[in-house]
Structures are given as structure tokens and as C-alpha cells.
Amino acid sequence: MQVVHNDFNSENILVDPHNPNRVSGIIDFGDMVRAPRIFDVAVCASYMMEGEEVPVEAIFHMLEGYAGPANLRAQEIDVLYPCIITRLAVRLVIPTWRARLFPDQADRLLHKNDLVRGLLARLNDVFQTAFTDR
């Protein structure tokens, strides 16, 4: 357990303009909680897959970068897949709930739901196999 950002996505991660592969900072600490650190990895992974031809490869690239400063333990790797799937489900449930509360904002709130559903569909078979093979 530790304090985790809990919302690593492209809108909250700053990169070095001269080296876009280098993270230079993070913003938006409104979702910060005390939780297992694997949640931060899973949240980030759920966003890293967006727009990628092979979503699993994007996650492995992210994990390679993450492994430098903080190696994941076997127990964390074991729960990474269900944590990513859970985060993707949360990315569907919360906007849907908010759209029902604020129907005038539904388009803005639901704009990524089709993308997230597509990721879940693509990961259904492929992702579990990829993690057991590595």
C-alpha cells in the first residue's frame, strides 16, 4: 500500500518537449488514494492502449519503462490483468452514471465509451494469453 495518483492518462502526464519518451511531471491529484501501487500501473495501462494496433504491446512498453525505477513483484504481475480490466469497466460505468445525472453533458461524458468497449473486446482473449506467455 502507498499513495497512488490513480489517474495516469495522457491529460495528466507531462512529457519533456525535447524528449517525448521522458515523463517530466504529473498533474491532477484529485483521484489520489492510498492503495496498492499496482493500481497506478493498471490505470496507466488502461489508457496506454488507446489507439494502439496491438494494445498488449503498448502495455509491455510501458512496463519496461516502469520497471527501471520500481520492479513489480510476482504478486503484482499476477493481478495486473484483472486490475486493467476493472479500470476499463470503471471507465464505462462512471461516465454512464454521470451522463444519466447530467443528460445535457452526455456527449462529452460518453465520447470514449465505444473506444473502451472496443479495448475490452480485443483484450478478452489476447491479453490473458499474452500475460501467461511472458
Side-chain angles (χ1 to χ4, degrees), residues 30-46:
D31 292 330
M32 188 179 290
V33 293
R34 185 173 185 272
R37 72 177 177 157
I38 196 64
F39 289 178
D40 256 351
V41 178
V43 167
C44 186
S46 81

Side-chain angles (χ1 to χ4, degrees), residues 66-77:
Y66 186 85
N71 290 323
L72 295 174
R73 290 184 229 118
Q75 307 104 300
E76 292 171 309
I77 295 291

Side-chain angles (χ1 to χ4, degrees), residues 45-100:
S46 81
Y47 290 99
M48 293 297 298
M49 296 182 293
E50 290 183 8
E52 295 296 324
E53 187 174 323
V54 183
V56 173
E57 288 299 318
I59 293 170
F60 288 130
H61 290 300
M62 186 225 27
L63 288 173
E64 288 171 356
Y66 186 85
N71 290 323
L72 295 174
R73 290 184 229 118
Q75 307 104 300
E76 292 171 309
I77 295 291
D78 289 345
V79 299
L80 182 57
Y81 172 73
C83 288
I84 292 170
I85 295 300
T86 301
R87 179 57 179 203
L88 288 170
V90 165
R91 289 182 61 193
L92 290 174
V93 171
I94 291 176
T96 301
W97 169 67
R98 287 180 177 159
R100 287 186 181 156

